[in-house]
Structure formats: C-alpha cells, structure tokens
Amino acid sequence: MTDPPLPSGDQPLLRPHVFDGIQEYDQRLPNWWLMTFYIAIAWFVLYWTLYYQGGFFTSDSDRVTAQLQAIHQAKTKELEKLLSTLDNDVLWAWSEDPNIRREGQAIYSRICAACHAPDLSAKLAGAPLPGLPLNDEDWKYGSQPLDIFHMVSKGSPDKTAPVQMPPWESVLSPAEIAKVSAFVLSHHVHRPPPPAQP
Ligand code: HEC
C-alpha cells in the first residue's frame, strides 16, 4: 500500500503511514491539555517526596497502627484498674447483683453457651458439648472467682491439649469478663477458700 500524500498549508500534518487502513494526524496537543499533564507530573514528584520520603504526613497505615495501639493501651489500663479493685469477694458480690447477672447472662448466651450449654451443664439434649460443666462443684482450674476470671481471659493454660478453651481477652473487655464470671458464680454458693495446706 502506498502512503497518502502530505497536505500543505494550515492543514494538520498527516503522518506518512497507514496501519490497518488507519491514518494518523500529527496534531500539536492543546495547551490546556499539556499544562494539566505537566502539573500532574510536578504534583506527583512533590507528593511522593513529602508524603513518602519527607515524613511530613502520617500515612493511613501509621494512623491505623496508632489507633490500634491506643485501643490496646486503653484496654490494658482498664484491666489494671479493674484488677486493682477486683477480688474474690467483689466477684461474689457481683454474682448477687441482678443487673450484673443479667449482663453476664447476655454475654454467656452469645459466646459461651455454644460450648458450655445454656444451662451450664455442657450437655445439650443429653449429648456432651466441648466445654466443661460450669454448674457442678468440680473445677479443673480452681473454684475461686479470680480463677474463673483468669481462665476466661487466658483460655486453657495448656496450649497443646487437643481440647482447649480459647482466650476471650481479645474479644471481651475486662469488665465483660468479670460480668460473665459473676454470672457463672451465680450458679454456686459462696464458699470460703479451702485452708492452705501446710
Ligand atoms: C469453643 C468452645 C468454648 C467456648 C465458646 C467457651 N468455652 Fe469455656 N471451656 C471450653 C473447654 C474445652 C474447657 C476445658 C479446657 C481445658 O480442659 O483445658 C473450658 C473450660 C472453662 C472453664 C474452666 C472450668 C473448670 O472446671 O475449671 C471456665 C470457667 C469456662 N470454660 C468458662 C467459659 C466462659 C465464661 C465462656 C464464655 C466467655 C466460655 N467458657 C466459652 C470450651 C469453651
């Protein structure tokens, strides 16, 4: 195929090649287009330098990390504050408070009932569930209120056992753990701790 003739005068220049029957004008791009293009390039260089190299702005990931750290610190502080006042007697008292019991029961139904059964027997229609019964007097990890609180926070101490209870401290706040522990305790009678063995 032969190239088309070149135009003359004010006509836009027709490039001397044809591909698949398509011809091309050699037009100068309009100034507004070129300016936008050059400004975009300059803006990229400025932005990249300031944002990624200069450290003048906090990036999104830094902001998320800082917020997560703040949440973690707030939780730790709340835990410290709660633990400084929380003892076995306080938890026993909470277990007799109907409002706290109701809140604890709501958490229990939402999270714990799946493995420990709604009636705490760890059995559903006679079939055993994964958890241990919480309404009997057998306690594998201690019967004192703070034993229960710590078991619920940290989960099973033996992380290699085939059947374990997950830790709940990342799901529930310390106060929620105390309330759900109080709900479990409300199914028990307040007994003084056994005397220390000589
Ligand atoms: C995924 C199932 C599962 C869920 C959900 C679960 N547990 Fe457990 N829980 C277990 C298992 C399994 C054990 C026994 C762990 C072991 O032997 O190490 C256990 C043990 C316990 C114990 C210790 C019992 C003892 O005899 O010392 C307490 C207390 C307890 N769970 C309370 C709770 C509370 C409160 C919740 C809700 C916040 C909860 N569990 C949610 C599975 C679960």
Side-chain angles (χ1 to χ4, degrees):
M1 191 180 283
T2 52
D3 282 345
L6 294 176
S8 58
D10 293 341
Q11 290 278 76
L13 195 69
L14 201 59
R15 303 292 300 277
H17 50 234
V18 182
F19 292 113
D20 285 344
I22 297 171
Q23 286 176 272
E24 221 187 345
Y25 282 128
D26 190 4
Q27 300 255 48
R28 191 179 179 281
L29 286 161
N31 282 343
W32 67 263
W33 196 98
L34 286 171
M35 280 319 284
T36 318
F37 183 56
Y38 296 142
I39 290 172
I41 293 175
W43 170 244
F44 159 73
V45 174
L46 191 74
Y47 184 84
W48 183 81
T49 317
L50 291 183
Y51 194 92
Y52 290 100
Q53 309 301 315
F56 290 102
F57 302 95
T58 359
S59 72
D60 286 345
S61 79
D62 286 347
R63 264 205 297 267
V64 170
T65 315
Q67 273 175 15
L68 283 177
Q69 262 170 4
I71 292 173
H72 182 72
Q73 271 171 8
K75 256 187 146 174
T76 315
K77 246 181 131 168
E78 188 196 338
L79 179 66
E80 279 167 5
K81 207 173 126 211
L82 186 74
L83 283 182
S84 65
T85 58
L86 197 73
D87 58 21
N88 291 329
D89 292 333
V90 170
L91 273 174
W92 277 121
W94 281 27
S95 76
E96 283 152 21
D97 179 327
N99 286 331
I100 292 183
R101 233 159 42 195
R102 202 168 324 113
E103 286 177 53
Q105 179 164 27
I107 300 165
Y108 184 89
S109 313
R110 186 158 53 87
I111 296 182
C112 325
C115 293
H116 292 281
D119 64 354
L120 286 74
S121 66
K123 284 207 178 75
L124 201 61
L129 294 178
L132 292 172
L134 302 177
N135 58 354
D136 62 5
E137 293 304 316
D138 273 347
W139 292 103
K140 187 170 171 187
Y141 296 106
S143 65
Q144 290 306 304
L146 283 181
D147 298 335
I148 297 172
F149 179 91
H150 285 124
M151 176 63 187
V152 178
S153 306
K154 304 280 174 205
S156 297
D158 181 0
K159 302 290 176 212
T160 57
V163 182
Q164 294 185 30
M165 161 129 127
W168 295 105
E169 61 188 351
S170 56
V171 179
L172 299 171
S173 72
E176 285 173 322
I177 295 176
K179 284 174 191 166
V180 77
S181 305
F183 169 72
V184 170
L185 285 166
S186 71
H187 293 74
H188 295 266
V189 276
H190 183 174
R191 293 226 181 89
Q197 298 292 320

